[in-house]
Amino acid sequence: MRLLLVEDDRMIGESLRGALRLEGHAVDWVRDTSAAQATLASERFDLVLLDLGLPATSGQPTDPAAGLAVLRALRARHDATPVIVLTARDGPGDKVGGLDAGADDYLVKPFELDELAARIRAIQRRVAGRAEPVLSHAGVTLDPATRQVTRDGVPVLLSAREFAVLEALMQRPGALLSRAQLEDRLYGWGEEIESNAVSVYIHQLRRKLGADFIQNLRGVGYFVGERPRAS
Ligand code: CA
């Protein structure tokens, strides 16, 4: 998934970004409300992790409710991007305030990375309209929690980025994902994109899962499952 992390604490930000990249997510990181507003107004993300206490711009004092203002502005634009609020505060009023402002979920720092990862997966399922946690198609299963993939019941070993490409495609069988959309899910800002990376990952996945498992519409994109109808 492509995630936006809004967090002014450098240590927390670096450790979260590192951990989420290891999970195969593309993570972009901003540290103040003005950067968060500008980024959310111009780019699309699958999920936002939003700290509440933030400075307006770097070097300014922290406003404990600044994150809520970012969230309200997002929802006021009818932007439904899922948001998990992250905060050190644990008063019951803060949780209610965050959820009422349009957050999808809430985590109080310090939290376990495993719990954050599980909540991200739950939101992914909800967004995709699935109740069942394991993705399954044509003899291939993918479990986002254990990161296990099987083909005809036999475990298949994938790299983190191969897994991310497969997960993106299996989340919505029949949906076309362009090369650029797949690159977005693989790379955050500042990460160099190898020009043929997506083709290489697709090639590896076909080798491991069967040549026909991932299909492509030439020049348009990749999909699993039913061929998408021309629009
Ligand atoms: Ca903060």
Side-chain angles (χ1 to χ4, degrees), residues 50-218:
L50 179 65
D51 181 29
L52 290 190
L54 296 164
T57 58
S58 103
Q60 297 228 288
T62 298
D63 171 354
L68 283 183
V70 170
L71 178 55
R72 287 201 188 93
L74 187 74
R75 297 303 185 230
R77 295 198 299 273
H78 305 291
D79 186 326
T81 304
V83 173
I84 299 179
V85 162
L86 311 174
T87 182
R89 301 185 305 160
D90 57 357
D94 296 328
K95 295 177 190 170
V96 172
L99 294 169
D100 278 347
D104 297 84
D105 206 346
Y106 196 104
L107 272 173
V108 176
K109 297 177 197 168
F111 50 81
E112 298 289 330
L113 283 169
D114 283 354
E115 184 176 1
L116 173 62
R119 286 173 189 264
I120 290 174
R121 289 192 294 271
I123 286 180
Q124 273 180 300
R125 287 200 297 276
R126 211 148 66 215
V127 167
R130 283 187 297 119
E132 67 283 5
V134 176
L135 304 175
S136 170
H137 178 73
V140 173
T141 68
L142 179 151
D143 186 338
T146 61
R147 307 185 63 75
Q148 264 218 345
V149 173
T150 65
R151 178 189 183 193
D152 299 329
V154 180
V156 178
L157 207 59
L158 300 183
S159 72
R161 283 187 166 151
E162 288 164 9
F163 184 92
V165 167
L166 183 65
E167 186 179 26
L169 291 167
M170 286 185 72
Q171 263 164 4
R172 289 171 57 220
L176 261 178
L177 287 177
S178 69
R179 178 180 304 266
Q181 284 171 317
L182 287 170
E183 283 174 351
D184 267 357
R185 286 164 182 256
L186 290 174
Y187 299 95
W189 298 333
E191 287 184 274
E192 199 167 333
I193 302 177
E194 307 125 83
S195 64
N196 63 342
V198 168
S199 310
V200 171
Y201 298 133
I202 296 279
H203 175 79
Q204 291 297 339
L205 287 167
R206 283 176 170 156
R207 196 172 60 75
K208 295 174 181 180
L209 302 173
D212 295 338
F213 187 72
I214 297 174
Q215 318 247 9
N216 67 312
L217 277 184
R218 197 165 287 278

